[in-house]
Each structure stands twice: as C-alpha cells, then as structure tokens.
Amino acid sequence: MCRFLAYHGAPIFLEELVTSPSHSLIKQAIHANESRSETNGDGFGIGWYGEKDRPGLYREVHPAWSDENLLSICAQVRSHLFFAHVRAATGTATSRANCHPFAVGRFMFMHNGQVGGWRAIRRRVETFIPDSLYAARVGTTDTEALFLTALAHGLEDDPVEAIETTIGLVMNEMDRAAIGAPLRLTATLTDGQTIWAFRWASDRSPATLYFQQSHAGTVVVSEPIDERREDWTPVPPGQVLIARHGEMPVLRALSPTVPAGSGLA
Amino acid sequence: MCRFLAYHGAPIFLEELVTSPSHSLIKQAIHANESRSETNGDGFGIGWYGEKDRPGLYREVHPAWSDENLLSICAQVRSHLFFAHVRAATGTATSRANCHPFAVGRFMFMHNGQVGGWRAIRRRVETFIPDSLYAARVGTTDTEALFLTALAHGLEDDPVEAIETTIGLVMNEMDRAAIGAPLRLTATLTDGQTIWAFRWASDRSPATLYFQQSHAGTVVVSEPIDERREDWTPVPPGQVLIARHGEMPVLRALSPTVPAGSGLA
Amino acid sequence: MCRFLAYHGAPIFLEELVTSPSHSLIKQAIHANESRSETNGDGFGIGWYGEKDRPGLYREVHPAWSDENLLSICAQVRSHLFFAHVRAATGTATSRANCHPFAVGRFMFMHNGQVGGWRAIRRRVETFIPDSLYAARVGTTDTEALFLTALAHGLEDDPVEAIETTIGLVMNEMDRAAIGAPLRLTATLTDGQTIWAFRWASDRSPATLYFQQSHAGTVVVSEPIDERREDWTPVPPGQVLIARHGEMPVLRALSPTVPAGSGLA
Amino acid sequence: MCRFLAYHGAPIFLEELVTSPSHSLIKQAIHANESRSETNGDGFGIGWYGEKDRPGLYREVHPAWSDENLLSICAQVRSHLFFAHVRAATGTATSRANCHPFAVGRFMFMHNGQVGGWRAIRRRVETFIPDSLYAARVGTTDTEALFLTALAHGLEDDPVEAIETTIGLVMNEMDRAAIGAPLRLTATLTDGQTIWAFRWASDRSPATLYFQQSHAGTVVVSEPIDERREDWTPVPPGQVLIARHGEMPVLRALSPTVPAGSGLA
C-alpha cells in the first residue's frame, strides 16, 4: 500500500500540502492511519506542472521522512497542479524506476493499491503495452504497466473509459490465471489540466480516498492531512472524481467490464 | 531509538540470526515491539570478524527491509562474532557516516539510546576526542563521539572503566548545559574476542537489552528475535554483560561517576 | 562499455585482485586504458562463491571508487571463484537491477559489450525468455536478457552452445530490424565450478579480454590489472576460454549461426 | 578538483546553462578539459533562488551524468540566480553533507580547489567556527569549514574581506603545520542578490575561472560550457569578480594577509 496527495488550483508552494500539514505525507510515510501498511518507506516521488506541458519529477528510493532534497524542493517550487506519493512496495523492488508518480508526455499517474497475483500475470499484462510505448516500461510495477496500458487504450481521449478498459483487461488476466486476490485501484491521473481520481476494487474494498474543495483549489488525498476529518469527503468506492480547471469537481460511476464470476458485477 | 543484535560463538552464517528469525532485525526495522520508535528505517549496518583483526563493515542508508545486498551478504558470510544494527535517527542526518556499527582498529561499537540535548553539547563532547582519533570523527552522531571518547579513555585496556568514564564526562557536559533530557546508553562493544553489552540510563530507563546462551554461543539483542520470550534474559539496568570467548557470560554493575544533583547516584 | 575481472583457483581474499592491484578495477572505474569509455562509474558489482551453491552478490549504483563497503567486503571475503564488474551504461538506466553480475540459481554472468540498436529490439529479445524465467527479468539491460535467453537455451547443459544460440537469435533480430551497429559480446559466465569467458563481435572488434594462469589460479580480465603486460595473454576474438576447476584453461572457437549478409561468416 | 557554474540575470530555466550546453557541467562531470581531475563523479548539487530569501538545494552523491531528477528539475525550475557544481572529492567522503553548494541562511557557497594538508589541520580550522554556526558543520570538507569560518568573520557585511580573512587564518594553520601543499581557492559565493567569484591560490596556480556577460546576465564557469572560447574572459588569478544585480560585473584584487615565508606576498 502507499499514500498520496494531488492538488489542482491556484499556484501554491508544494510544501503547503506535501510537507507542512500536521499529518502530511511525510508523517504518513512514517505512520499512516488508514493504510494496510503503516509504514511507507519504500521510496517517494513528486511531480508538478510549471510552465511546460510536461511535468517535472523528483523520485527517490529513500524514505520521504529523511530526504532534505524533498523538503527543499517543496519549499521552493510553486505549482498549480502537483502529485506526491510515498510508497509501500507490494512485491516489486525498491528502485527509482518503481517509484510513483509515473509520467509519459504530459500525463502523470500514481496508484495506491495492487494487482492481485501480479507476479503471475506481469508478463501477460505487459503485452497490452504497444511497441510505441514499450521504451517507457522501465520498471516492474503493476502501476507502470496499468498506466501504459491505459495510454494505449485511449487515455488521451477519454481517461475514464481507458481506465475502465484497463481494469477489464487486467481482471480478465487475473481470472484466466485463477487469481483469488483482488485488484484494488485507488489512483490519480492528470494531463496537467484535469485530475481524475479513481477508486475501485474488485472486492469492493479499495484503499481510502478523500477530497476537499477550498478557495484555493481541490485536494485529493489517501487520508486526511490534518485533524479536521469533517472537512474531507470520501470518494465513494466504484467512482471517479473529476476536477477540471476552474470547475467544481464532479463524481461519476465507474463501470469497467469484468469477467462474470469474478465476484463483481 | 534503534534495534541491534550481537553474536559471539561458533562460526555461523549471519543470516541465521540477522535475517531468518521470525522477528529478525529486518522485521524490527519495519515494526519493533519494545522500542520507543516502531520503525527503524534510517539506515542499517553489519560488522563481522573473519580471518583478520579488523572487522568487515557493510552500512547503508536504505531501510534494511528492502536491501537485497544485506540478504545476500548475510547468506554467504560466516562469522564467530558479529554485530547488526537498524537505525532510527535521533536528530542527526541519515548518512553512511552516521550508521552503526562504528569501527576503529579492531574495535566495534553500536548504540541504542541517546545523549539528551545532543545538539547543544556536540561540540563540547567532541573536545574529548584526541587529535590522534579525530580523523575517525566523520559523522555527527552522539554514538560515534561516545565511542571515540571511550577509545581515548582506556577502552583498549579496560572497556568497562572507559565507558564509565565516558558516561561521566558526557553527563558532566549535560549538567553544565542544564539539559533535562536523559542519557540513555544501551550499547555493545567488541574487540573481536569479547563482547561487552552495556545497559545504563541517567533516568534508570534504558532501552531494552536481552541475552541468550545457547550451545552455539551468546546472542545479545534489543528485543527477542523469536516468539520464545522465556528463553531471553534481560540485562538489568545499570549493568554490563561480558561475554568472553569460551566462557559463560557474566554480569557486572556499572558505576560511572556522574554529577551530584543529576538525579542519579 | 565496462570492465571486469573473474578468478578461479585457490581461495583468496577478493581484495587481492579487485581492489589492491596497481591498475585494479577500482582504478579502471576512474580511468580505463583499453575501453571505449574511459570512465566506468555507472555502478559496480561483485559476486562470489563461498560454502553455498549460489553466489553472494553485492551490487550498487555508486561509482566503485568511492564505496567503502566494497573495500571492506573485498578485504574480508575469501573465495575460490568470484566476479567483479564496473559499469559504463550503454543506454539503460543506472540502477541496481542493471548492475552486473547477474545471478540465477548457481549461475552468474557479466558482460562488457553491447547489443547494437538495443532499444529497438529489446522487446523482441525478451520474448526469448520463457515464463519460468521471466520473474528474473527485473531490469532493462541487454545483458540480463542475453543471460536469461541463454539459460532458456541449454546453458545448464552446454554453456558454449547456449551462448552461440543466443548470439544467433539476437543477431537475427538485429538483422530483421536492419540494425547496422554491431553485437559485441565479451562476457564471463560461471556455475561456481567452471568459468567460460567469451569474446565475440559481429564486427570482429570485441572488447578486450585477457587471461593469466598462476600458481593460485586463473584470472580473466578486460585489461591487465598490473604493469606486467607480458604476463597477460589475449583471448583471441571469436573464441571462448574455459577454465575448469583443477585443470589448465583451454580455448575453443565460437561458431554461432548468424544471418547471411550480416557481414560475418 | 571540481567544476561549477553560477548565473545571475534574467530568470531562465536552469537547463539552459546546466544541462543543455555542448560542454555542460554534465559533460564536464564525465570529462572535464581544464581540470586536474578529468572525472567529477563524486556527487553534484544545484542551488537556486526563487521567491524566497533562502535558496533551494538539490544535492546527491550519484554522478551528475546519470541523474534523471537533475535533468527534470533543471528543465522545470526558472531562476534569476543559481549555482551548479559537480564534485571530484579531494580526500573526504562522498556523502550529501559533503556536496556543494553549501547554504546557510540566504548565503550559498561552492568551491573548486583544496586546502593543502586538510586532514592535518581540519580540527584546527573547525575551531574558527563559532558555536552559533557549529550545528551547520555536518560534513568533513574543507569547503564547508571555509564557508562557516567566513560567515563568522563578517561575510554578511563584507564578503571579500571575510574571504581574505579566512584565507589568512587557514594559511596560518597550514604554515604552523608545515604543510607544503598549496591552498587553492576558486570559489563562488552569493547572498541571492550578488555573486562573488574568487580566484586565489597560494602557489598562484588556482583552478580556472571564466565569466561571460550576455544580454540575459552574467555566467561564471570553471571552464567554457560551449565551443566559443573567445566569448569567455578569464578571471585573473588573485582577483574576485563581483556581479551585482543590474550592474556590470567588476574585478577587484584580493589581498589576504598570509604568513611571511609562505611563498606568497
């Protein structure tokens, strides 16, 4: 499991949300409250949009709680849209290539969840990545593979449908391999203009996801970064939150096509 | 706080005690049971004696739980005397220079505790390190400074007295600086032949320390590495365990000279 | 390009060959003499056989010249058969997963060379890796892929033939993709008992390879580790040196089956 | 030896000068032309001023040529004043604490040179650091010690005089310790508004230093970052270049007070 945060709104210093809050991601890296794994010390990453189409990335294998570079960068960089992630590895190695967020072109993606039985179906899922995107497959995570698969299935045109398609494709492989463990996908995607925050699981028990709308913008988190729990609204399981620039965020139901008998409609 | 383990006896693979047990140091790095800090992910280190007088060292800033090198080295290296340590930093940076164990010549030292108010007295304590040893002062930890101070105060001739002297010197500085926080010293020292395991605190609440005598040898731990708690004997606070090669370990009282009014006889 | 060293003979400390010589691998990491890339600072690795069938590995992304762990481990570990490698990346990332040597079961493999146009054919070559070995494919290097392909083509029974087959398969893919750049394979393989040192290139210009037979054992190097050049015998291009335990090393011609018109018989 | 670059002028992306040029610092890290050490792979660092008084810092022990974070940050961050440095260690460990630039408050400092016989006088020079600044002494480099000494000797009021005083103090210690090796100080300092680039050596043979004035601003480099050598003006040995915001840079002679008989007026 992992913990993450996404922001979209008026340009603010990353530190305002990533490092300063009372229960910031840094604190969650040491001890998360609502995560299956308390500690998230298998690397971290931030991605932010500035003046360019493509985001900047800073990803490292060290725990977030002891990285002075992270503190410094967050204190200096102002952005209107950024992601931050602290990782608890679910079976794949701790390396920069396996840290979130992942970026391809102007898109950025991060994930808190798992593809059940990943080791058994990794190769199969990688076949969904077209040759044109294979050079971007540099790690071994389920997350990177999900992202590249979605990119190959219309992510640039219809992100929600692309993620639904990806869920369907992966669930199909899990079904073929008779994997009992669930696919849990609590994930955030952006193209630098809009944030899509997905919350879906084949066992209806996806990792937590909350959002908050403030005067500055929209914040999406794995768990509240402050003590005011009442200010955070859960994204219901099976839904996606869409936060477009300058608009109020909206919720939409997810309806991936999954194999019959997978225990989920 | 940190967690550690020391072994002295018939040559065994390090993995037998460092990585394989049900509640090994690797597990304790993720989640310790008897430590003030549950997570000990600010680096780790192993030191072992082979054919040479001086020990080998492998120390890294990454958490122990994700280091494949550590697993590999522990699986291959056999030793009659070794130390292993997982670190939870108490204010000083995460760097290799600040990882335990520390080695000078044939001596090795590791620590689980703290010098209260270290930041305020670091410089003063460093004056106890003679010029001849100053080149070995490459980090900023209290532990390294304690070790070098002890080396300068007869560690090679009488380790127990040297540590008592060191405690006295440091307590004196803490007293001068009106530091209320305690000095807690649960530490292990060796010269490659004998292990000295100290357990002392100015507030009489030192970090935990246990030992076990088996047919193979003596094991000293911060907390039991298996479920058989009854097999582990606590080292009483204020005492030092001395495990000499080929002899049964003995306990001895520690009696450092500390300032009057420091709250401790 | 990279530089490497392999040894097979009476058990010696790794430092004798890896770190101590006047032109050791550490020195070559800073400045090699016979390499297309002078500097080899994209990571390093050592692998050694002790009491177990499988080798121990220590691989890191830092340059070899500044790693105190490497010095310490080499000073302490004695082995009858070991590999050491310093890397100059040829297009793939610097990460532990991409450091040599690679190990699967009791086999170990390292490489100094390149598969021309690797980026264009990586995916194709990875299809040669069977499902049973795919979990071992954790990096993106040509070397790891070559090794896993060879393992899948009889490496355990006839290493020379397996490497010849692998060369043929890869050359075929390069031919299909109309890649003009050469395949250069100067590589060393072992099963813990025998060392096979290959020197082959499609442009007949493979990276250098030398060997020396001494009373202690056989040493195979990319370039001489001392000033006595006359003591080092080149392995001729297109040949493999086979050093079996307790026997004098022998040379054998390599005859991979490569596409007609690839510019090589 | 090391290589560095400083810029002061209209806000530009760091990549324009740090990573993009034909002979950028990244290239110089692999192979410098005018440095005593060709390779500068013992870490790197960038420091830049944005909206705050204090600079942001990104420093790492990996070679600059393989760090994707460095490329990403330089591509995204725009600054009116920044430093970049690639390190070739002169005897002290490779660690983040020993990477340049060093920052205290709004001041930043980097160095290409050496304090001859540093190991012998490190402790003595550290005594020049007042208690109020000692917490900032976290590494073992001569550079960090020089910087903190200068800060303690009026750097905030008169940087040139403070550096001259520092040179004098250190030369005195070197003289006392009968050190024959020179003190070479090619260094750059800033307070976020002005850049001071010093070029001085006790043997009159300081590391190289050039500057260029363009429409955008002032660039100071260890060696030219492009092929147009004629566009770069050397800073004469024994002088300091002062580039104040909005003004043309000026040169001034340095006149530290050094011991008689040190071989230098």
Side-chain angles (χ1 to χ4, degrees):
Chain A
M1 280 299 173
C2 315
R3 302 279 83 183
F4 64 60
L5 172 146
Y7 170 78
H8 183 18
I12 60 172
F13 287 115
L14 265 63
E15 69 180 345
E16 228 185 277
L17 295 176
V18 179
T19 59
S20 299
S22 60
H23 190 58
S24 71
L25 264 193
I26 309 292
K27 301 265 178 26
Q28 293 175 38
I30 303 172
H31 192 109
N33 293 331
E34 303 187 28
S35 175
R36 285 177 178 85
S37 63
E38 279 183 17
T39 303
N40 298 274
D42 296 322
F44 65 88
I46 52 175
W48 71 94
Y49 292 82
E51 300 179 46
K52 303 191 173 182
D53 285 346
R54 294 170 176 239
L57 279 188
Y58 172 57
R59 304 189 300 176
E60 244 299 6
V61 294
H62 299 142
W65 65 74
S66 58
D67 194 80
E68 62 272 29
N69 287 330
L70 180 63
L71 295 180
S72 196
I73 294 169
C74 286
Q76 293 285 332
V77 171
R78 192 188 279 276
S79 172
H80 65 282
L81 199 157
F82 56 86
F83 279 12
H85 183 279
V86 289
R87 185 172 185 239
T90 53
T92 53
T94 300
S95 66
R96 282 193 187 177
N98 284 347
C99 289
H100 314 210
F102 296 90
V104 173
R106 71 183 192 279
F107 284 89
M108 208 160 62
F109 183 76
M110 61 185 176
H111 177 219
N112 170 20
Q114 63 174 60
V115 170
W118 176 242
R119 194 182 166 89
I121 63 165
R122 168 167 78 111
R123 188 170 217 177
R124 292 282 317 170
V125 174
E126 284 174 347
T127 64
F128 300 140
I129 304 167
D131 286 353
S132 57
L133 285 172
Y134 196 69
R137 175 42 161 187
V138 292
T140 52
T141 60
D142 44 13
T143 304
E144 187 185 50
L146 291 172
F147 181 37
L148 296 174
T149 299
L151 275 165
H153 288 80
L155 192 74
E156 301 200 29
D157 303 315
D158 189 331
V160 178
E161 190 177 321
I163 292 293
E164 289 174 333
T165 301
T166 299
I167 289 173
L169 287 169
V170 175
M171 285 291 294
N172 199 48
E173 290 307 321
M174 293 169 68
D175 188 61
R176 283 181 49 169
I179 289 167
L183 186 163
R184 293 198 185 112
L185 186 126
T186 297
T188 321
L189 168 79
T190 184
D191 60 358
Q193 300 282 345
T194 303
I195 287 179
W196 292 267
F198 301 85
R199 190 175 181 217
W200 190 91
S202 60
D203 65 352
R204 304 186 196 252
S205 183
T208 55
L209 191 64
Y210 301 85
F211 73 100
Q212 185 179 120
Q213 187 66 15
S214 76
H215 61 277
T218 305
V219 187
V220 178
V221 294
S222 297
E223 58 184 75
I225 54 175
D226 54 31
E227 315 306 320
R228 299 177 54 89
R229 292 196 63 84
E230 64 278 11
D231 290 348
W232 298 91
T233 308
V235 172
Q239 302 213 359
V240 53
L241 178 84
I242 306 176
R244 290 187 205 286
H245 179 63
E247 298 175 22
M248 289 297 292
V250 296
L251 284 168
R252 214 174 104 181
L254 288 164
S255 50
T257 305
V258 296
S262 61
L264 193 70
Chain B
M1 280 297 172
C2 315
R3 303 278 84 182
F4 64 60
L5 173 146
Y7 171 77
H8 184 18
I12 60 173
F13 287 115
L14 265 63
E15 68 180 347
E16 229 185 276
L17 294 176
V18 179
T19 60
S20 299
S22 60
H23 191 58
S24 71
L25 264 193
I26 308 293
K27 301 266 177 29
Q28 294 176 39
I30 304 171
H31 194 109
N33 292 333
E34 303 188 29
S35 174
R36 284 176 179 86
S37 64
E38 278 182 18
T39 304
N40 298 274
D42 297 320
F44 66 87
I46 53 174
W48 72 94
Y49 292 83
E51 301 178 47
K52 303 192 175 182
D53 283 346
R54 294 169 177 240
L57 281 187
Y58 172 56
R59 304 189 299 175
E60 244 299 5
V61 294
H62 299 141
W65 63 74
S66 58
D67 194 81
E68 62 271 29
N69 287 331
L70 179 64
L71 295 179
S72 196
I73 294 169
C74 287
Q76 292 286 331
V77 172
R78 191 188 279 276
S79 172
H80 64 281
L81 197 158
F82 56 86
F83 280 10
H85 182 278
V86 290
R87 186 172 183 238
T90 54
T92 53
T94 300
S95 65
R96 281 191 188 178
N98 285 348
C99 290
H100 314 210
F102 296 91
V104 172
R106 70 183 193 279
F107 285 89
M108 208 159 64
F109 182 75
M110 62 185 175
H111 176 219
N112 170 19
Q114 62 174 58
V115 171
W118 176 242
R119 191 180 167 91
I121 63 166
R122 168 168 78 113
R123 188 170 217 178
R124 292 281 317 168
V125 174
E126 284 174 348
T127 64
F128 300 142
I129 305 167
D131 287 352
S132 57
L133 285 172
Y134 196 68
R137 173 46 161 185
V138 293
T140 52
T141 60
D142 45 11
T143 304
E144 187 185 51
L146 291 173
F147 181 36
L148 296 175
T149 299
L151 274 165
H153 288 81
L155 192 72
E156 302 201 29
D157 302 316
D158 188 330
V160 177
E161 190 176 320
I163 291 294
E164 288 173 335
T165 302
T166 300
I167 289 173
L169 288 170
V170 175
M171 285 291 295
N172 199 47
E173 291 307 322
M174 293 169 68
D175 188 62
R176 283 181 49 172
I179 290 168
L183 185 163
R184 293 198 186 111
L185 185 126
T186 298
T188 321
L189 168 79
T190 185
D191 59 358
Q193 301 281 344
T194 303
I195 287 178
W196 292 266
F198 301 85
R199 190 176 181 217
W200 190 92
S202 60
D203 65 352
R204 299 184 199 254
S205 181
T208 55
L209 190 66
Y210 300 84
F211 73 100
Q212 185 179 119
Q213 188 66 16
S214 77
H215 62 280
T218 305
V219 187
V220 179
V221 293
S222 297
E223 58 186 73
I225 53 175
D226 54 31
E227 314 307 319
R228 299 178 54 88
R229 292 196 63 85
E230 63 278 13
D231 289 350
W232 298 92
T233 309
V235 172
Q239 302 213 0
V240 53
L241 178 83
I242 306 174
R244 289 186 206 287
H245 179 63
E247 300 176 21
M248 291 296 293
V250 295
L251 285 167
R252 215 173 103 181
L254 287 165
S255 51
T257 306
V258 295
S262 62
L264 192 71
Chain C
M1 281 297 173
C2 315
R3 303 278 83 181
F4 64 59
L5 173 147
Y7 170 79
H8 183 19
I12 59 173
F13 288 114
L14 266 62
E15 69 180 346
E16 229 184 278
L17 295 175
V18 179
T19 60
S20 299
S22 61
H23 191 58
S24 71
L25 265 193
I26 309 290
K27 301 265 176 30
Q28 294 175 38
I30 303 171
H31 193 108
N33 292 333
E34 304 186 30
S35 173
R36 286 176 178 85
S37 64
E38 279 183 15
T39 303
N40 299 271
D42 298 320
F44 66 88
I46 52 175
W48 72 94
Y49 292 83
E51 302 178 48
K52 303 191 174 182
D53 285 344
R54 295 170 176 239
L57 280 187
Y58 172 56
R59 305 188 300 176
E60 244 298 7
V61 295
H62 299 142
W65 65 74
S66 59
D67 195 81
E68 62 272 29
N69 287 331
L70 180 63
L71 295 179
S72 195
I73 294 169
C74 286
Q76 293 285 332
V77 171
R78 191 188 281 277
S79 173
H80 65 281
L81 198 157
F82 56 87
F83 279 11
H85 183 279
V86 290
R87 187 171 182 239
T90 53
T92 54
T94 301
S95 65
R96 281 192 188 178
N98 285 348
C99 290
H100 315 210
F102 296 90
V104 172
R106 68 183 194 280
F107 283 89
M108 209 160 63
F109 183 74
M110 60 185 177
H111 177 220
N112 170 20
Q114 62 174 59
V115 170
W118 177 241
R119 193 180 166 93
I121 63 165
R122 168 167 77 111
R123 187 170 217 178
R124 291 282 317 169
V125 173
E126 283 174 347
T127 64
F128 299 142
I129 305 168
D131 286 353
S132 58
L133 285 172
Y134 196 69
R137 174 43 162 186
V138 292
T140 51
T141 60
D142 45 11
T143 304
E144 186 185 50
L146 291 172
F147 181 37
L148 296 175
T149 298
L151 274 165
H153 288 81
L155 192 73
E156 302 201 29
D157 303 314
D158 188 332
V160 177
E161 191 177 320
I163 291 292
E164 289 173 333
T165 301
T166 299
I167 288 172
L169 287 169
V170 175
M171 286 291 296
N172 199 48
E173 291 307 321
M174 293 169 69
D175 189 60
R176 283 181 49 171
I179 290 168
L183 185 163
R184 292 199 185 111
L185 185 126
T186 298
T188 322
L189 168 79
T190 185
D191 61 357
Q193 300 281 345
T194 303
I195 287 178
W196 292 267
F198 302 85
R199 190 175 181 217
W200 190 91
S202 60
D203 65 354
R204 301 184 198 255
S205 181
T208 54
L209 191 64
Y210 300 85
F211 74 100
Q212 183 178 122
Q213 187 66 16
S214 78
H215 62 276
T218 306
V219 187
V220 179
V221 294
S222 298
E223 58 184 75
I225 55 176
D226 54 31
E227 315 305 320
R228 298 177 55 89
R229 291 196 64 83
E230 64 278 12
D231 290 350
W232 298 91
T233 308
V235 172
Q239 301 213 359
V240 53
L241 177 83
I242 305 175
R244 290 184 204 288
H245 179 64
E247 299 176 20
M248 291 297 293
V250 296
L251 285 168
R252 213 173 104 180
L254 288 167
S255 51
T257 306
V258 296
S262 62
L264 193 72
Chain D
M1 280 296 172
C2 315
R3 301 281 82 183
F4 64 61
L5 173 148
Y7 170 78
H8 183 19
I12 59 173
F13 287 115
L14 265 63
E15 68 180 347
E16 227 184 278
L17 295 176
V18 179
T19 59
S20 299
S22 61
H23 190 58
S24 71
L25 264 193
I26 309 292
K27 300 266 178 26
Q28 294 175 37
I30 304 171
H31 192 109
N33 292 332
E34 303 188 30
S35 174
R36 283 177 180 85
S37 63
E38 279 183 17
T39 303
N40 298 273
D42 297 320
F44 66 88
I46 54 175
W48 71 94
Y49 292 82
E51 302 179 46
K52 303 191 174 182
D53 284 345
R54 294 170 177 238
L57 280 188
Y58 172 56
R59 305 188 300 176
E60 243 300 5
V61 294
H62 298 142
W65 65 73
S66 58
D67 195 81
E68 61 273 29
N69 288 331
L70 179 64
L71 295 180
S72 197
I73 294 169
C74 286
Q76 293 285 333
V77 172
R78 191 188 280 276
S79 172
H80 64 281
L81 198 158
F82 56 86
F83 279 12
H85 182 279
V86 290
R87 185 172 183 238
T90 54
T92 53
T94 301
S95 66
R96 282 192 188 178
N98 285 347
C99 289
H100 314 210
F102 296 91
V104 172
R106 70 185 192 279
F107 284 90
M108 209 159 63
F109 182 76
M110 61 185 176
H111 176 220
N112 170 19
Q114 63 174 59
V115 170
W118 176 242
R119 194 181 166 90
I121 62 165
R122 167 167 80 110
R123 188 169 216 178
R124 292 282 317 169
V125 173
E126 285 174 348
T127 64
F128 299 141
I129 305 167
D131 287 353
S132 57
L133 285 173
Y134 196 70
R137 174 44 162 187
V138 292
T140 52
T141 60
D142 45 12
T143 303
E144 187 184 51
L146 292 172
F147 182 37
L148 296 175
T149 298
L151 274 165
H153 288 80
L155 193 72
E156 302 200 30
D157 303 314
D158 189 331
V160 178
E161 191 177 319
I163 291 294
E164 289 174 332
T165 302
T166 299
I167 288 173
L169 287 170
V170 176
M171 285 292 295
N172 199 47
E173 290 308 321
M174 293 170 67
D175 189 62
R176 282 181 48 170
I179 290 167
L183 185 163
R184 294 199 184 111
L185 186 126
T186 298
T188 322
L189 168 78
T190 184
D191 60 357
Q193 299 282 345
T194 303
I195 287 179
W196 292 265
F198 301 85
R199 189 175 182 218
W200 190 91
S202 59
D203 64 353
R204 301 186 197 254
S205 181
T208 54
L209 190 65
Y210 300 84
F211 73 100
Q212 184 179 121
Q213 187 67 14
S214 76
H215 62 277
T218 305
V219 188
V220 178
V221 293
S222 297
E223 58 185 74
I225 54 175
D226 55 31
E227 315 307 320
R228 299 177 55 90
R229 292 197 62 85
E230 63 278 13
D231 289 348
W232 297 92
T233 308
V235 172
Q239 302 212 1
V240 53
L241 178 83
I242 306 175
R244 289 186 205 287
H245 179 63
E247 300 175 22
M248 289 298 292
V250 295
L251 284 168
R252 214 173 104 180
L254 288 166
S255 51
T257 306
V258 296
S262 62
L264 193 71

